[in-house]
Amino acid sequence: MNALLSIAFVLCWSSGFIGAKLGAGSASAVTVLMWRFLPLAVILLVVAATAGRASWRGLAAREVVRQVAIGVLSQSGYLLTVYYAIQLGVSSGTTALIDGVQPLVAGALAGPLLHQYVSRRQWLGLCLGVGGVALVTTADAMAATGVAVWAYLVPFLGMLSLVAATFLQSRSRTQVAPGVALTVHCATSAVLFSVLALGTGAAAPPAEAGFWTAVVWLVALSTFGGYGLYWIILRRSGVTEVNALMFLMAPVTAVWGALMFGEPFGAQTALGLAVGLAAVVVVRRDGRAGRRKTGGSPPGDPHSLPPCPAPKPQESGHRLSGGCS
C-alpha cells in the first residue's frame, strides 16, 4: 500500500509542473490559479457543510488559523511561485530541480527545529537525490535564453515556503482530518488568488479550450492527487521519507515533458533518474532498518520526536509522526 501511495504521489505531484505549462500558454498565473481553486473551494465547502460536518466538530479556532497559515505557505505561496517562474520562461524541469532542493533544506533544519535526527546514510541518500535532479536539469538551465537571472529565485522562494509549511504542520499536536485541512487550504487559496486576479484585472478566463483542460488537469491530478497524497504520506511515514520521494519529481517531470511536449530526453536525463531512484532506496531502507532493530520508532529515527501529551477526545483524525507543539 505504501509503495502504491508513493508512486501515485510522485506522478500526481509531477503533473502539477506539466499542468502549469499547459495553463501558461493561455492565461496568466493568477488567472489559472483563481479558476483552479474557486470552483474547488465551493465544492469542498458544500461537502463540509453537509456530509463532512462530523469532521469539523470540536475543531478549535486556533487550529483553523494554523491550517490557514499552512495553506498560505504550502499551497498559495508555493504554487504562485511555480506558476510565475514558468510564466517568466523558467522550464518545468528547472523549476522541478529547484523545488527538489526542498528535502535537503528540510533535512538540515529538522534537527534544530524538530529535534529530529537524520543519519549519515540518509544524508548520503539526500545528497544522491540532489545530484540526480541536478543531472536531469542542469543542461536545460544552462541552455536557457531570454530568461532573467532573478527569475530562478522565484521557485526557490516557493521551495522555502513549502519547507516552512511542512515544519509548521509537524509542530501541531491537534489531529485534523485530511478533508478538513484540504478544505481550509483550498478556500484560503481561492480567496487569495481571487483578490490578486481581480486586483490585477486578470480574473476573466480565456475562451480557449486549452485553459479549461489545464484547470481540470490541475484540480484532479495536482490538488486531489498530489497535494492530498503529500499530507497523507507525511502523516504515515514522516518528513524524511516524503522528502526522499520529492527527489523523483524532476526526473519524472523530464520524462513526462519528453513524452507530452517533445522535450529532449538523453543519457544525462536517464542517469539522473537512476540516481534519484537510488537516493530513495537508500533513505527508505535506512528508516526501515532502524525500526526493525527497535520494534518501533527508535530515539534516533528521523520520524521520532519528543513525546506529546495524549490527544483530547475531539482531536480525532490522522496524526503526524510525533508532531507536537
Side-chain angles (χ1 to χ4, degrees):
M1 177 61 72
N2 287 340
L4 292 176
L5 285 175
S6 298
I7 293 171
F9 166 63
V10 171
L11 291 175
C12 289
W13 192 277
S14 299
S15 74
F17 298 102
I18 303 299
K21 186 169 184 177
L22 285 172
S26 57
S28 67
V30 291
T31 306
V32 175
L33 288 167
M34 172 186 169
W35 288 103
R36 169 181 174 176
F37 285 104
L38 192 57
L40 178 61
V42 172
I43 294 172
L44 290 174
L45 288 172
V46 170
V47 172
T50 55
R53 293 176 64 181
S55 300
W56 293 79
R57 291 197 184 104
L59 188 63
R62 175 184 177 184
E63 188 56 37
V64 174
V65 172
R66 182 191 290 267
Q67 290 302 318
V68 168
I70 292 172
V72 170
L73 291 169
S74 68
Q75 199 173 78
S76 306
Y78 170 72
L79 290 176
L80 183 60
T81 57
V82 168
Y83 282 53
Y84 186 49
I86 292 177
Q87 183 178 307
L88 289 171
V90 180
S91 70
S92 59
T94 302
T95 304
L97 166 64
I98 299 172
D99 179 59
V101 180
Q102 185 252 355
L104 187 58
V105 176
L109 295 176
L113 294 183
L114 295 182
H115 308 290
Q116 293 185 2
Y117 172 74
V118 180
S119 70
R120 291 182 179 179
R121 186 171 180 177
Q122 287 176 317
W123 272 115
L124 173 61
L126 294 173
C127 292
L128 277 174
V130 171
V133 293
L135 282 171
V136 172
T137 54
T138 296
D140 177 68
M142 295 296 292
T145 57
V147 181
V149 175
W150 61 267
Y152 291 91
L153 296 176
V154 176
F156 180 77
L157 293 175
M159 178 272 296
L160 293 178
S161 182
L162 185 58
V163 170
T166 301
F167 285 121
L168 181 59
Q169 176 69 18
S170 298
R171 297 295 296 178
S172 174
R173 65 182 294 268
T174 304
Q175 300 176 29
V176 178
V180 172
L182 183 62
T183 301
V184 175
H185 298 174
C186 289
T188 301
S189 294
V191 171
L192 289 177
F193 291 136
S194 295
V195 170
L196 285 174
L198 290 169
T200 57
E208 300 176 26
F211 171 81
W212 295 109
T213 299
V215 168
V216 173
W217 174 292
L218 291 166
V219 170
L221 294 179
S222 304
T223 301
F224 285 118
Y227 188 72
L229 286 170
Y230 178 88
W231 293 110
I232 290 174
I233 295 176
L234 186 67
R235 287 177 168 90
R236 290 170 64 99
S237 304
V239 174
T240 303
E241 283 208 31
V242 76
N243 283 344
L245 293 173
M246 296 294 287
F247 284 127
L248 297 179
M249 303 309 170
V252 169
T253 301
V255 173
W256 203 332
L259 295 174
M260 193 164 182
F261 302 113
E263 297 175 347
F265 181 84
Q268 183 171 330
T269 301
L271 178 60
L273 177 59
V275 174
L277 288 170
V280 174
V281 170
V282 169
V283 173
R284 292 173 70 92
R285 286 186 62 184
D286 186 70
R288 287 172 183 157
R291 286 192 291 273
R292 283 197 300 269
K293 290 178 182 179
T294 63
S297 181
D301 188 85
H303 306 150
S304 66
L305 285 174
C308 299
K312 299 177 182 178
Q314 69 268 24
E315 293 173 352
S316 60
H318 296 272
R319 183 179 182 83
L320 265 172
S321 176
C324 58
S325 59

